Amino acid sequence: MKQLVTLNQLISKYLMILIIGFSCIAYIVPSYFSWAIAYTPFLLGIAMFGMGLTIKFEDLCSILRHPKDICIGVLAQYTIMPLLAWGICHIFTLPPDLAIGVILVGCCPGGTASNVITYIAKGDVPLSVGMTITSTLIAPIVTPLLILYLGGTWVNVALLPMIITMVKVIIVPILLGAIIQYVCKSRINTLTSVSPIVSMIAIILLIAAIIAINRDKLLISGLETLIVVGIHNILGMLLGLGVGYILKLRYDKTTALAIEVGMQNSGLAVTLAATNFALNPLATLVGAIFSVWHNISGAIFAMLRRENSLQDI
């Protein structure tokens, strides 16, 4: 058990390096990872199942105890990033493939990586977890509607298939994990120790697979995509900070809010792109690059916020 905990901590600590490392390997030798693209929904489902296993009764109580803060975070999540995505697509006059990829990322809920980054930044972790859970659970309805409204300008958007995909890869695995965690509780210590490791491996493999199948396209659109992704992510975190300051939230809550807004569930964006926008293959590239980038920017942001919080003590 102790070895599993240590391994989990090591992978979490060096997740950014692992993602970058395996992405580089996938770029150099794409055949090592290209096969995994066929299992995109399954890999994301594994990650969501792991999230479900971590949802405890205390987390749900935290949502009920702090409904105002949770609502602020979720509202910011589903307004700032989608509108930024729409604006960026118009400003840069992106082609349809890249545009729908950016829209997909912008309309997705917060990712579980935000909880880890919030912890590193000494932010309000329970608030971060509450925002992630809430935005994820309402995502099967909110995300497809936002994509339909904002992305329909560039491509045809089929609403019902997206909802079905999201229920399959988000709601079912999360509920299954949460039910197992609640019913078994202390008897699943080994499983709860292994699940974060498996979830992180699934995300690493998913990103590497996207890099592998888009190797040639990276040479053509990689730099443009990285610039767009970087602007989207950084502006999202800065506007999240702004919301926290305007509403005079505590420093740790503002930190959690900014991270939650800026860090998306890009794995979900990749899954939606692969399963629902097959005619726009470059759309998956945006989510993959966002996955790599937001871990780097999130870690830097966390260090800056952590240093400031320590100076105020």
Side-chain angles (χ1 to χ4, degrees):
M1 185 69 69
K2 187 180 292 185
Q3 289 87 343
L4 289 175
V5 173
T6 302
L7 181 60
N8 183 25
Q9 291 173 343
L10 281 173
I11 295 178
S12 298
K13 183 178 180 180
Y14 297 106
L15 182 61
M16 177 181 70
I17 296 174
L18 288 170
I19 289 174
I20 294 173
F22 276 91
S23 296
C24 291
I25 295 172
Y27 183 82
I28 297 169
V29 193
S31 59
Y32 284 3
F33 298 98
S34 56
W35 58 269
I37 196 63
Y39 302 94
T40 297
F42 176 72
L43 291 171
L44 182 62
I46 289 176
M48 292 297 100
F49 176 74
M51 177 182 176
L53 284 174
T54 65
I55 296 176
K56 300 177 182 178
F57 182 73
E58 295 79 9
D59 296 329
L60 299 178
C61 289
S62 175
I63 294 174
L64 296 175
R65 284 196 300 267
H66 308 285
K68 179 182 175 182
D69 295 337
I70 298 292
C71 288
I72 290 171
V74 173
L75 183 60
Q77 176 78 54
Y78 281 124
T79 53
I80 291 174
M81 291 303 275
L83 291 176
L84 276 177
W86 182 84
I88 287 170
C89 290
H90 279 285
I91 291 170
F92 284 86
T93 58
L94 296 179
D97 280 22
L98 288 181
I100 194 59
V102 174
I103 294 291
L104 285 171
V105 169
C107 296
C108 280
T112 53
S114 63
N115 308 146
V116 178
I117 296 298
T118 299
Y119 173 77
I120 295 171
K122 285 192 170 295
D124 189 329
V125 177
L127 175 60
S128 176
V129 172
M131 287 188 292
T132 300
I133 293 173
T134 306
S135 67
T136 301
L137 290 178
I138 66 173
I141 300 299
V142 177
T143 295
L145 288 174
L146 285 171
I147 294 170
L148 176 64
Y149 182 72
L150 298 176
T153 304
W154 287 274
V155 298
N156 291 324
V157 178
L159 184 63
L160 185 58
M162 265 196 299
I163 293 175
I164 294 173
T165 298
M166 295 189 70
V167 169
K168 286 180 179 178
V169 301
I170 290 183
I171 299 300
V172 173
I174 286 179
L175 287 181
L176 183 60
I179 291 169
I180 291 175
Q181 194 279 145
Y182 179 77
V183 172
C184 299
K185 294 183 179 178
S186 60
R187 288 176 291 178
I188 59 165
N189 287 337
T190 302
L191 183 58
T192 53
S193 298
V194 172
S195 63
I197 299 171
V198 176
S199 296
M200 287 185 284
I201 291 174
I203 292 299
I204 292 170
L205 186 56
L206 177 59
I207 295 169
I210 298 301
I211 297 296
I213 66 167
N214 287 291
R215 178 188 177 185
D216 295 336
K217 294 170 185 173
L218 272 168
L219 294 173
I220 301 171
S221 305
L223 181 58
E224 180 184 16
T225 305
L226 179 59
I227 291 171
V228 167
V229 160
I231 292 172
H232 193 190
N233 167 248
I234 292 172
L235 285 179
M237 286 193 287
L238 291 177
L239 289 174
L241 275 179
V243 170
Y245 285 131
I246 290 171
L247 298 178
K248 298 181 179 179
L249 299 180
R250 288 199 326 249
Y251 188 90
D252 59 338
K253 291 182 182 293
T254 299
T255 298
L257 176 62
I259 293 170
E260 188 68 22
V261 171
M263 296 189 70
Q264 302 292 85
N265 188 339
S266 46
L268 174 59
V270 168
T271 302
L272 288 174
T275 55
N276 297 95
F277 296 93
L279 296 178
N280 307 96
L282 203 57
T284 57
L285 184 62
V286 179
I289 292 180
F290 196 98
S291 295
V292 178
W293 169 260
H294 80 167
N295 280 287
I296 297 173
S297 65
I300 295 171
F301 182 80
M303 287 187 290
L304 293 173
R305 296 293 289 181
R306 182 187 179 94
E307 288 178 4
N308 287 336
S309 67
L310 291 175
Q311 290 173 2
D312 293 336
I313 295 176

